[in-house]
Amino acid sequence: MEAADGATLIYAKAGVYNEGGMYAASPGSSNRVILAEGVWLRSRDGAAVTTIEGKISDQSTKGIGTDSMRCAYLKGDAVISGFTMTKGRTNDALASNNANGGAVYGGLCVDCVFTNNVGKNDGNAASSGTLLRCILGPDPDPSGSYTVYLSAKLIDCVNNSGKAVRQNCTVYNTTFVSGGLSAGSNYPNKAYNCLFLSTAPAVSTLYRCYSNKAKGSNITDEDGCKFGQTTEDLACDPETYRPLKGSIAIDAANAAYYVRATNGWSKLWQSFIGTDYAGGQRVYNGKIDIGAGEYDWRGDFGKTLAKKGVAVAYASEGVTTNEVTGVDLANGEKIVVVPTLKTPGKVSFTVTAPAEGTVTVMRGGTELVPEGGVYSFDGVVGENEAVSVAFAGEGAATVSGFDLPKLGVLLIVR
């Protein structure tokens, strides 16, 4: 399938796309999908149920031949999001620069999963372009080709391919479960706020990166890196890649500076802030965790509010604890709490928010109106009278200062 020039957004239904394909004169390749500049191809239901398959040839052990096919070629600023890219191979019969990027060449890939792809020379998953919140899975390449190649960007990604990212790439908030960074001496990589859990990076400049390997002689440590850390120091959930409690990756000092200060990163992050993929990074209270995933705060703030006599019935993933025994809600976030009272009495709490933001507080089906920034009501909260706080706008709203009469038994549901 090919999107015509002038189109802006195309949706794909769930399924496996493994038929058709075409030749692109530049860079000379055979591809299952070609997207023109300015086109965004988006799956409706996500990568778990939507797949683009390239074509594996039987002409070589790598599956590369005159009939093999890459998954997608993205022209200019084209975007593809929410697909599993698999069985992609470059093609031996076409131009020499088609030897890079087994699954995708160029453009921007968002929320995609890459597995079982091979580029003849380099870039099993991708060459050039940008990957945002993507997962790089196992590659079968027997020769040891690299997984991402040639001036690419990786943001909030997880590399579990077993192969390194190579040659003049820039990497932000990425967790290297396996595979690291590698490059020739004339083509160093740069990495910001990254976790290296198995393989030490090579020939790179690192900013606020943590590794369980010793620092190599070819690494430039510009600021705040930590090498030779233990597995417990860098502990991450093996499925979500979120840092676990006690990990030094949580709220690393000054890590957010690189989100704001690095060219090309802030704008791209803002474009996709509404989606949270595998705990994908978002900034709260000027802080950001190191690695691809943010720490899951929900258990912590449940305990925090329980101490104030409030049970958490529901919280969206972006709700985080703050330093004043309350919680913070970014744009679009919501928390539902149940004050647990032994006897009737007044319940009060405060919500502070930026002037341009909108806070909506409901008790059951009734909206509460604050007095002097304080929300209050009388009486025991029944089953259908839970209190919800939602925020919309720039910045974050802070919920704190719960005051209740004598406490009863607490039951927290998450």
Side-chain angles (χ1 to χ4, degrees):
M1 54 185 168
E2 180 173 15
D5 288 316
T8 56
L9 179 60
I10 301 172
Y11 283 100
K13 296 180 179 179
V16 177
Y17 296 88
N18 58 6
E19 297 181 354
M22 61 213 71
Y23 172 82
S26 177
S29 57
S30 182
N31 305 274
R32 190 69 74 188
V33 175
I34 298 176
L35 294 183
E37 288 192 52
V39 174
W40 186 338
L41 176 63
R42 177 189 293 175
S43 70
R44 287 191 179 274
D45 301 301
V49 293
T50 318
T51 299
I52 296 175
E53 289 186 357
K55 184 178 180 182
I56 300 175
S57 174
D58 60 4
Q59 298 172 3
S60 73
T61 57
K62 288 186 176 184
I64 294 173
T66 57
D67 60 341
S68 54
M69 185 175 293
R70 181 190 286 132
C71 297
Y73 170 49
L74 312 181
K75 298 180 181 179
D77 60 354
V79 181
I80 191 166
S81 62
F83 290 85
T84 290
M85 306 285 192
T86 189
K87 300 181 181 179
R89 301 292 190 273
T90 52
N91 190 298
D92 256 356
L94 305 174
S96 61
N97 58 353
N98 182 59
N100 301 319
V104 175
Y105 187 98
L108 170 62
C109 297
V110 184
D111 295 343
C112 290
V113 176
F114 295 82
T115 183
N116 189 8
N117 301 293
V118 179
K120 180 178 181 180
N121 288 350
D122 275 313
N124 289 335
S127 181
S128 306
T130 298
L131 306 183
L132 173 63
R133 293 195 310 268
C134 292
I135 295 178
L136 307 174
D139 290 329
D141 184 1
S143 68
S145 177
Y146 301 91
T147 188
V148 176
Y149 177 68
L150 194 58
S151 302
K153 285 185 179 181
L154 280 75
I155 301 172
D156 285 2
C157 291
V158 174
N159 182 15
N160 198 14
S161 67
K163 308 296 172 67
V165 174
R166 181 175 187 256
Q167 195 153 325
N168 199 34
C169 293
T170 308
V171 187
Y172 308 89
N173 290 92
T174 287
T175 296
F176 291 83
V177 180
S178 64
L181 292 175
S182 181
S185 58
N186 294 326
Y187 301 96
N189 303 291
K190 291 183 179 180
Y192 301 80
N193 302 353
C194 292
L195 283 178
F196 297 88
L197 303 180
S198 62
T199 305
V203 194
S204 304
T205 300
L206 307 183
Y207 305 80
R208 291 283 165 181
C209 292
Y210 295 172
S211 174
N212 61 3
K213 301 295 182 180
K215 179 182 177 181
S217 59
N218 53 3
I219 294 296
T220 302
D221 172 11
E222 292 292 343
D223 186 29
C225 295
K226 295 184 179 181
F227 299 94
Q229 304 300 304
T230 68
T231 302
E232 291 74 21
D233 289 334
L234 305 178
C236 292
D237 185 283
E239 294 184 358
T240 66
Y241 307 107
R242 293 178 183 265
L244 296 175
K245 190 174 184 64
S247 171
I248 62 174
I250 298 173
D251 279 351
N254 298 326
Y257 165 79
Y258 298 111
V259 177
R260 298 190 299 269
T262 308
N263 292 335
W265 157 245
S266 295
K267 182 178 180 181
L268 192 58
W269 173 73
Q270 289 289 342
S271 299
F272 298 96
I273 191 173
T275 304
D276 191 18
Y277 179 71
Q281 285 290 3
R282 290 184 285 182
V283 177
Y284 292 106
N285 297 329
K287 297 180 179 180
I288 189 168
D289 298 339
I290 285 181
E294 62 193 355
Y295 176 61
D296 189 344
W297 290 98
R298 286 172 290 175
D300 279 2
F301 68 65
K303 295 175 183 177
T304 297
L305 293 184
K307 295 177 182 178
K308 306 290 289 186
V310 179
V312 178
Y314 166 82
S316 53
E317 291 198 10
V319 180
T320 60
T321 51
N322 58 45
E323 297 176 356
V324 290
T325 64
V327 296
D328 292 336
L329 295 81
N331 180 40
E333 305 296 352
K334 180 179 181 180
I335 185 170
V336 179
V337 298
V338 182
T340 54
L341 310 180
K342 186 174 182 179
T343 59
K346 179 173 285 188
V347 177
S348 65
F349 58 96
T350 61
V351 182
T352 58
E356 63 273 19
T358 301
V359 174
T360 303
V361 178
M362 303 291 294
R363 180 192 178 195
T366 303
E367 184 171 357
L368 298 181
V369 179
E371 294 184 6
V374 177
Y375 293 84
S376 64
F377 56 90
D378 292 320
V380 176
V381 177
E383 181 179 351
N384 298 318
E385 294 182 306
V387 177
S388 65
V389 183
F391 174 70
E394 298 293 328
T398 297
V399 184
S400 59
F402 279 95
D403 290 315
L404 293 82
K406 190 173 181 180
L407 301 182
V409 176
L410 298 182
L411 176 62
I412 300 177
V413 180
R414 299 190 200 95

